[in-house]
Amino acid sequence: MTEASPPQIPEELRPYLDTIADRLLSGHAAVMIGAGFSKNAAPPGSAPDFPDWSQLGDLFYQRLHGRVPGPKDRYLQVPTLAHRFEAAFGRPALDRMLLDAIPDLQHEPSALHAALLDLPWSDVFTTNYDTLLERARRSVISQRYDVVLKPDDLGHSNRPRIVKLHGSLPSERPFIITDEDYRRYPQDFAPFVNAVRQTLLENTLCLVGFSGDDPNFLQWVGWIRDNLGPQNVPKMYVVGLLDLSPSQRTLLEQRNIIPVDLSECPGNAGDHHQALRRFLDYLESRRAADSQLDWPEASPDTRSDDTRDVRQIVDRWRDQRRRYPGWIVLPEDLRRSLWRETSHWTREMPAGDTLPGTLDLEFAFELTWRMDKCLCPIFDNQVQFLEATTERYWPLADPDASLESLPPNGTGADATTLTSPAIRRRCHYVLLSMLRYYREEGLSAKWNDACKRLLAIRPVLSPEDEARFCYERALFALFALSLEQLKTRLADWPRNDALPFWTAKRAGLLAEIGRLTEARRLLEHSLNAIRAKLNLTPTRADYTLVSQESFVMYLLQAVRLPLTFTTPDDSDIRRQRREFRERWHVLKQYKCDPWQELETFEHSLQRPPTTTLDTTKRPAFDIGWSIRTSNMGPWNTEALAAYNFLRFCEDAGIPFRLPGCTIATKTAAGTLRRIAEYSSYWALATLVRIDDTKAVDEIFDRFSLARMNTPTVDGLIDRYLESLRLAAPDITAGDRRRDENFGTLLAGVLPEILSRLCCKCSRVSREKLLDWLVDVYRSDHKSNYRGIGHVWTPPRVQALSAFRRSPVSTVEFRRSDSPRQRSGSPALARASVE
């Protein structure tokens, strides 16, 4: 059976099966297996069949009366008959008779048992004594079942579980069979009773191979009905070839049990195995149809300059976007699939003025959306097309504008395919993407212009776009190393409880600048809000909330780790860490695994970058022969991996640097060499954020400085000195040994960079550096400037002072003031500036 050919189900039964499937796929369905299901086992040779409930009664009758019950013989219910058997022969004889009557080990679980357990039931309950289910779970990969044989095992088991309610062969006794067993069951097996009651309250219960007249089951259903009221009892379903009389059907319905009689399906012809196979296949087909774990579907390559093909690709991209299941970050294997389908459309943009109607805007929107999901930045060759498209449609971003104001474009300009609201949403999205590009490339003038445009229409932005705009403004301040502006942007960020994940991203920025307590409070609030939504919106084909939950859990654990250093009692944190591990096992089934994503980036970026030559040659096996390989790929895969990681951290809200959490920091350091040649501003901003002095040596070496001109170096010096000036209050209040805020981070890494830049700056910048050095060494907090010792080494101080145009007082610089010393350097360097 395939997804395209689900089993035939009569229309009158389909609503019931769809309800079961919906609850099952959302994690809120349990199944109770009765004796009838064991008849589907696979017997080797001529092994006897499993007896059902009535056949067990016949065996008891035969032993008590010495003959097989005839058509005119009537006996009491099976538990009463078993009780009489126990009174006549004793309990050991009763147990021996059950062992002899149930040919457990003579049968193997069938494919039907494995198909049942392969479905995502919250729990599997069974009143059967045989071990078919326990043995069938060994062949099931998608689910991991714990087996619960005794009530004491419940507290040490994880869902999903196979719960043996009435004992288990060969020796887990008592086997619940007599009237007295059932009478004492609520007292002797109270944990089992409570577990089933809780399941009945929280889940839809499906009865398979079960008649529904088990005394325990009737008692549990009665308890639910007594406590909730007849109108509030959850629906239960008994599924199979039922052959019910009208009175039996009415009695089940009175107990809120809906009979799903599969004898109405064509082709079953009294075959119980075939009927149950059809039932399980239908549930599996629904799971396959609802699953989005393989998004996006593969599609043919239709790259062409023909506008009809542009329309075709836009239509396909739109359909895929609408089916996107909502991951915060598209999982790595799916990113590769999406990139393979998208990459060739990034090399050459279509001519926007030749596209009819609003096709240029639709293409721009769908392309930027896919680039975002691929974690790829906008490429330089795309900028002109995106800017021209945004400029053309921006007048329509105002809600008072109409489509009539749209300037003509291409052929058939009046054939507009988008409404005004749709145009506005796409304009906002594309401009926000361009705002991000301008920030990454350090194009401050263009960033400010785009920011002004968005501020003008800010009241009409959607809540999601408003949050994205606030996040972008905060990141711009962070890239500019403007600590005060960053604090202002974070304080002005309006609270929106409907968007808890954006609150978590704000918390990530607060954590990066050292405000861990506030970040922890926001993350806890976000996690509670996301989980509250999950309780109202079961997870099926939309993984938005489970994806958000996984990343907020990661952030909260990362933020809580440094707080443990100052917390005397960390029992709550250890307990939460244990709970998080258990929850992550559940979230992994939806491909929501931040740890796996970070480990993938770690393996590719925490190693020296490799260079791929256009042509490589290696010796062949035969002497004198060689194998030549030509690399036709247009992409620098090392740089792409670095860009992917940087965007991954931004999209997930993960800070680069937290005390005790170095995975992101070390991996970010691996991006610097890979992107410095293409995005120097982005690389410099990342360099400062990770506070890695070794990375400073790699980026600002003699070769890189030789490629910089003096105005560029002067601009960097001005920006870094201004950042240090604005961060002075935080530097003063901080502790250089703990790097507890962003100011101490700047004071640690920026002097290291300035010690390189001063070798190629102008006279004006050298004077600014010398004045700054004098001010720092006259302050009471010079020890917080960790890298300053490299700025005032004798050769550099002499180079700086040589350009001094006016005499100043002599200043002594003691090597002991610097926390880092170079071997062989003098203990005292004296610079007389005249």
Side-chain angles (χ1 to χ4, degrees):
M1 188 206 65
T2 65
E3 179 184 344
S5 58
Q8 295 181 358
I9 299 295
E11 289 299 322
E12 58 269 22
L13 296 183
R14 193 178 295 271
Y16 301 135
L17 297 186
D18 283 341
T19 300
I20 296 173
D22 289 342
R23 296 289 290 169
L24 174 68
L25 298 177
S26 64
H28 291 86
V31 63
M32 184 171 285
I33 303 300
F37 196 76
S38 296
K39 288 181 173 294
N40 297 290
S46 58
D49 292 336
F50 280 90
D52 59 24
W53 192 239
S54 63
Q55 289 169 333
L56 272 179
D58 291 346
L59 290 174
F60 292 140
Y61 186 93
Q62 184 178 2
R63 287 291 303 274
L64 285 169
H65 297 280
R67 59 185 175 84
V68 177
K72 296 182 179 181
D73 292 317
R74 297 287 182 268
Y75 54 79
L76 302 176
Q77 291 184 353
V78 174
T80 303
L81 200 60
H83 197 178
R84 288 178 54 189
F85 184 95
E86 180 186 16
F89 301 104
R91 189 73 191 204
L94 177 62
D95 291 344
R96 183 73 258 172
M97 183 174 180
L98 290 175
L99 289 170
D100 293 340
I102 301 173
D104 181 30
L105 297 182
Q106 299 180 50
H107 292 254
E108 291 296 327
S110 68
L112 207 61
H113 288 81
L116 174 87
L117 296 180
D118 192 51
L119 294 169
W121 305 104
S122 62
D123 269 323
V124 176
F125 298 98
T126 180
T127 56
N128 297 344
Y129 311 125
D130 61 68
T131 61
L132 292 172
L133 290 173
E134 297 97 299
R135 286 182 280 149
R137 72 189 177 112
R138 301 169 187 166
S139 62
V140 175
I141 299 176
S142 62
Q143 310 291 330
R144 180 188 179 276
Y145 289 92
D146 282 356
V147 177
V148 178
L149 302 178
K150 299 180 294 185
D152 294 344
D153 296 337
L154 281 173
H156 307 284
S157 61
N158 295 316
R159 289 182 173 178
R161 303 164 296 192
I162 298 174
V163 183
K164 305 296 290 289
L165 296 171
H166 286 180
S168 183
L169 295 174
S171 58
E172 193 56 50
R173 308 177 189 180
F175 301 129
I176 306 303
I177 186 67
T178 69
D179 279 340
E180 183 65 11
D181 294 335
Y182 281 106
R183 188 187 70 81
R184 293 195 54 80
Y185 196 88
Q187 291 76 38
D188 295 345
F189 293 87
F192 278 171
V193 174
N194 293 333
V196 176
R197 287 175 176 176
Q198 191 69 26
T199 295
L200 291 174
L201 287 171
E202 297 176 348
N203 300 281
T204 292
L205 186 65
C206 189
L207 309 172
V208 178
F210 204 92
S211 62
D213 56 2
D214 179 87
N216 271 340
F217 176 73
L218 296 179
Q219 193 274 335
W220 299 327
V221 173
W223 179 88
I224 295 290
R225 187 167 57 250
D226 293 342
N227 285 271
L228 297 183
Q231 304 301 322
N232 298 319
V233 177
K235 295 292 184 182
M236 290 163 277
Y237 299 85
V238 56
V239 182
L241 296 182
L242 302 181
D243 191 24
L244 299 172
S245 67
S247 61
Q248 289 175 316
R249 184 178 293 271
T250 301
L251 183 59
L252 287 174
E253 292 174 350
Q254 288 176 352
R255 293 166 174 167
N256 227 29
I257 302 174
I258 298 176
V260 182
D261 192 352
L262 298 177
S263 62
E264 301 176 18
C265 297
N268 284 342
D271 187 339
H272 289 269
H273 186 281
Q274 174 64 24
L276 290 177
R277 165 57 69 181
R278 182 168 299 197
F279 166 65
L280 297 177
D281 283 351
Y282 184 82
L283 296 182
E284 181 61 38
S285 70
R286 279 292 311 274
R287 178 165 68 168
D290 288 355
S291 175
Q292 293 292 327
L293 296 178
D294 293 327
W295 184 98
E297 302 82 1
S299 57
D301 183 4
T302 58
R303 181 68 173 99
S304 172
D305 292 330
D306 194 322
T307 59
R308 290 174 298 177
D309 290 330
V310 175
R311 166 53 64 190
Q312 181 181 355
I313 195 68
V314 166
D315 290 343
R316 185 167 68 247
W317 285 359
R318 182 181 60 250
D319 292 341
Q320 287 180 334
R321 173 177 52 81
R322 289 174 175 173
R323 291 195 303 272
Y324 183 65
W327 286 294
I328 293 302
V329 175
L330 184 62
E332 189 268 340
D333 58 329
L334 304 184
R335 283 202 304 273
R336 284 188 274 109
S337 299
L338 186 66
W339 178 245
R340 282 195 298 268
E341 186 179 330
T342 308
S343 59
H344 54 263
W345 286 91
T346 64
R347 302 170 194 162
E348 185 178 342
M349 294 294 97
D353 55 359
T354 64
L355 298 178
T358 58
L359 187 56
D360 53 345
L361 179 61
E362 294 178 73
F363 181 83
F365 169 68
E366 299 295 346
L367 178 63
T368 52
W369 184 88
R370 294 171 79 86
M371 296 282 286
D372 287 343
K373 295 308 171 189
C374 291
L375 299 180
C376 285
I378 293 173
F379 297 148
D380 293 342
N381 66 299
Q382 300 170 323
V383 172
Q384 183 177 358
F385 171 78
L386 295 176
E387 287 180 337
T389 302
T390 306
E391 192 67 30
R392 176 172 181 254
Y393 289 93
W394 189 251
L396 293 178
D398 190 323
D400 296 329
S402 64
L403 289 173
E404 286 72 21
S405 61
L406 182 67
N409 188 44
T411 59
D414 57 339
T416 303
T417 58
L418 297 177
T419 62
S420 292
I423 289 176
R424 281 196 295 273
R425 289 193 299 270
R426 284 157 174 75
C427 282
H428 298 165
Y429 187 93
V430 175
L431 188 59
L432 283 166
S433 298
M434 294 302 299
L435 193 70
R436 187 177 189 177
Y437 166 80
Y438 296 146
R439 185 248 308 167
E440 293 166 345
E441 295 303 312
L443 303 174
S444 299
K446 288 192 172 185
W447 189 94
N448 287 324
D449 180 64
C451 184
K452 290 177 182 177
R453 288 190 172 193
L454 288 164
L455 285 171
I457 53 106
R458 188 173 184 178
V460 301
L461 290 177
S462 68
E464 187 83 15
D465 287 343
E466 163 75 7
R468 185 182 176 192
F469 183 44
C470 292
Y471 189 53
E472 183 56 46
R473 296 178 74 203
L475 287 173
F476 179 80
L478 180 61
F479 270 49
L481 307 180
S482 177
L483 183 56
E484 287 303 313
Q485 188 181 52
L486 175 58
K487 291 179 179 179
T488 301
R489 296 277 168 81
L490 292 175
D492 293 341
W493 192 328
R495 176 175 174 173
N496 189 340
D497 292 334
L499 299 173
F501 189 70
W502 285 102
T503 301
K505 295 173 83 167
R506 176 172 173 248
L509 291 176
L510 288 168
E512 185 158 344
I513 63 176
R515 292 160 62 172
L516 296 178
T517 302
E518 185 178 357
R520 172 180 173 176
R521 178 180 58 80
L522 290 177
L523 289 169
E524 289 174 344
H525 173 79
S526 297
L527 185 59
N528 291 334
I530 291 169
R531 287 178 170 173
K533 288 186 175 184
L534 266 173
N535 292 334
L536 300 175
T537 309
T539 302
R540 278 182 52 196
D542 188 346
Y543 309 137
T544 302
L545 293 175
V546 289
S547 179
Q548 291 179 357
E549 182 186 15
S550 68
F551 280 103
V552 175
M553 287 166 58
Y554 173 83
L555 286 170
L556 184 55
Q557 183 166 296
V559 167
R560 278 185 165 178
L561 180 61
L563 292 175
T564 60
F565 304 147
T566 58
T567 304
D569 182 11
D570 62 348
S571 58
D572 287 343
I573 295 176
R574 286 188 282 107
R575 176 185 54 79
Q576 185 194 68
R577 190 178 302 161
R578 183 170 58 253
E579 293 174 355
F580 278 11
R581 283 198 300 268
E582 295 173 357
R583 179 59 179 164
W584 263 315
H585 289 310
V586 177
L587 297 178
K588 285 179 181 179
Q589 66 180 308
Y590 305 112
K591 293 192 174 184
C592 301
D593 190 355
W595 288 104
Q596 179 62 42
E597 292 285 344
L598 283 168
E599 288 176 3
T600 300
F601 283 119
E602 180 183 5
H603 293 326
S604 62
L605 295 175
Q606 287 191 24
R607 57 167 176 76
T610 58
T611 302
T612 302
L613 302 176
D614 292 338
T615 303
T616 58
K617 186 170 67 173
R618 60 184 176 86
F621 178 80
D622 296 318
I623 298 176
W625 290 81
S626 62
I627 300 174
R628 184 184 300 271
T629 304
S630 298
N631 177 32
M632 305 300 292
W635 308 108
N636 183 331
T637 56
E638 294 280 349
L640 277 177
Y643 285 126
N644 292 166
F645 174 74
L646 296 175
R647 284 215 160 194
F648 166 81
C649 289
E650 285 188 10
D651 290 352
I654 296 176
F656 284 160
R657 183 186 153 279
L658 284 175
C661 185
T662 60
I663 294 179
T665 305
K666 293 180 178 179
T667 308
T671 68
L672 301 178
R673 277 288 187 187
R674 292 169 168 86
I675 69 168
E677 180 181 352
Y678 308 103
S679 302
S680 57
Y681 182 82
W682 200 349
L684 291 175
T686 303
L687 169 63
V688 175
R689 291 174 63 189
I690 64 176
D691 188 24
D692 188 341
T693 54
K694 293 181 180 179
V696 175
D697 293 329
E698 292 180 0
I699 297 301
F700 289 96
D701 55 11
R702 293 176 180 270
F703 178 73
S704 62
L705 281 176
R707 292 187 301 171
M708 292 184 183
N709 55 38
T710 299
T712 299
V713 173
D714 287 349
L716 291 175
I717 289 176
D718 288 341
R719 182 157 65 91
Y720 294 156
L721 289 178
E722 179 67 10
S723 296
L724 289 169
R725 184 186 66 81
L726 294 174
D730 292 85
I731 297 172
T732 300
D735 185 340
R736 67 176 177 83
R737 290 180 296 274
R738 293 170 54 190
D739 284 345
E740 60 187 359
N741 63 48
F742 198 68
T744 56
L745 182 149
L746 294 178
V749 68
L750 288 185
E752 291 279 354
I753 299 176
L754 292 172
S755 70
R756 276 74 170 171
L757 297 178
C758 70
C759 299
K760 198 177 180 179
C761 64
S762 66
R763 174 184 299 177
V764 174
S765 292
R766 286 189 173 96
E767 291 199 1
K768 292 178 182 178
L769 281 171
L770 191 56
D771 289 338
W772 170 73
L773 279 171
V774 172
D775 291 340
V776 168
Y777 271 88
R778 283 175 174 167
S779 73
D780 296 329
H781 305 282
K782 53 182 173 291
S783 61
N784 284 356
Y785 295 83
R786 285 179 289 131
I788 201 169
H790 295 170
V791 185
W792 61 263
T793 54
R796 287 181 180 145
V797 170
Q798 292 172 7
L800 291 172
S801 62
F803 288 86
R804 195 70 183 182
R805 290 172 294 181
S806 57
V808 297
S809 60
T810 299
V811 181
E812 285 189 353
F813 302 111
R814 295 189 179 274
R815 177 66 62 183
S816 58
D817 289 332
S818 173
R820 297 180 57 197
Q821 299 187 20
R822 292 182 178 178
S823 60
S825 59
L828 177 67
R830 186 179 185 86
S832 299
V833 185
E834 299 178 353

